[in-house]
Amino acid sequence: MKVALVANDRFPIAAPFAGGLESFTWHLARTLRERGAQVTVFAAPGSDPDLGLEELLVHPLELGSHARVDVAMPSERIVEQTFAYLQCMQQLSRRDDLDVVHNNSLHYLPVVLADLVGAPMVTSLHTPPTPWLEPAMRLRGDRVHPVAVSHAVAALWERICSPRVIHNGVDMREWNLGEGGTDLVWMGRIVPEKAPHTAALIAHAAGRRLRIAGPRVDERYFEEQLAPVLDDDITYVGHLHPRELAVLVGSSAACLVTPAWEEPFGLVSPEAMACGTPVLALARGGVPEVVREPGGVAVDIGPTPEDTIALAVEALPRVEALDRRGVRRYVEDNFDVVTTIERYLALYEELAA
């Protein structure tokens, strides 16, 4: 089977991953190749060469001096991204050997230009509706065979299109069972919607040490909201390679997951649980589908932020009491990437038939 993957062009598909979307696309590409598929990928420059993929290359944006000083010019990033996806779709339109195109981007152009491609397209919905993607899906939604990463995301899109649900998964070979420890851990992109500062407040209230790991994607948020709550007990340890991250998480007592938005899935939760580290999460979006006993506990959002923190602190002993081997088995049974890929392969074969 020949599959083309259209990724988010903002970050490379390479470790250390910028976020769950990049990690998912990398694992999807690798596992498809292991299953014998030929994979072509459109992604940001610098993607992992060891994947052995055919990479769709695009010409960088060139703007003359008159264009740059145009007072009506939109953000250069928007222009750059638009023409990158246009080139991607032009190249795919010239391919007559593809069995399926799997769109994992967050951009509208692969959706509205899907008819240019002879092969059927699958579009994974990794987020709630956005101002750019929602109108595109209204126009072409069911033509691009939408797949939601959780039932919560599917519910947000159901008035626009009719997505089936395929949960994301983790590679159990990479997240090994750890012995645990006494400190708490938080991992993910350092951005307001992931709210690591809330994890810091929970740890402070519980009188616990917390280690925070992840890329500083939003530097202003880091400096203004996270840095002020860092101290000797609440530390930022940097953006770690997955192997280092697995060691950190596996040596922790529990993982805090603190979304401040309707989290579509939250790949960090099953990653932590694969290490045997139970998860204490805030119940937003798709989180309660993923974080539940015997793998962890999702606590309700209280009337005030202080109430939410108190609920989390109250639930922490219950989370830490979960059996670490049982936590890992829960992920093996429910969120193994092998199962995820098998479901996508079945969908590819259904569409290509």
Side-chain angles (χ1 to χ4, degrees), residues 31 35 50 74 77 110 118 124 153 162 198 204 206 217 222 239 264-265 271 276 281 293 295 300 303-304 312 324 346:
T31 310
R35 295 298 182 91
D50 291 339
R77 168 62 186 155
S124 288
V153 169
S162 303
T198 300
H204 270 306
V217 175
F222 181 92
H239 187 197
F265 181 83
E271 287 173 345
E293 295 192 50
D300 292 334
T304 68
R324 294 184 68 89

Side-chain angles (χ1 to χ4, degrees), residues 129-147:
T130 66
W132 287 104
L133 193 53
E134 178 178 324
M137 293 299 292
R138 286 189 186 278
L139 288 172
R140 311 297 297 146
D142 291 329
R143 164 67 179 83
V144 295
H145 306 287
V147 175

Side-chain angles (χ1 to χ4, degrees), residues 186-204 210-215 218 221-222 225-227 229-230 234 236 256-260:
W186 185 99
M187 59 174 171
R189 288 181 293 118
I190 309 297
V191 291
E193 62 267 27
K194 302 292 184 178
H197 73 281
T198 300
L201 296 176
I202 292 170
H204 270 306
L210 172 71
R211 295 171 289 183
I212 298 171
D218 189 325
Y221 167 77
F222 181 92
Q225 295 196 54
L226 184 58
V229 295
L230 299 178
I234 312 295
Y236 172 67
L256 304 183
V257 176
T258 53

Side-chain angles (χ1 to χ4, degrees), residues 26-49:
W26 186 93
H27 285 90
L28 177 64
R30 186 182 70 169
T31 310
L32 286 173
R33 286 195 69 239
E34 291 174 349
R35 295 298 182 91
Q38 296 182 40
V39 182
T40 299
V41 66
F42 166 80
S47 295
D48 188 353

Side-chain angles (χ1 to χ4, degrees), residues 13 32 43 112 118 178 184 207 251 295 304 331:
I13 307 304
L32 286 173
V112 297
L184 306 176
S251 63
T304 68
V331 178

Side-chain angles (χ1 to χ4, degrees), residues 58-65 67-68 73 76 79-80 83-84 87:
V58 300
H59 298 293
L61 179 68
E62 294 184 15
L63 290 176
S65 57
R68 289 185 182 278
M73 179 179 170
E76 186 167 328
V79 179
E80 179 182 60
F83 281 91
Q87 290 180 67

Side-chain angles (χ1 to χ4, degrees), residues 45 55 140 168 262:
E55 191 169 351
R140 311 297 297 146
N168 290 338
E262 294 304 298

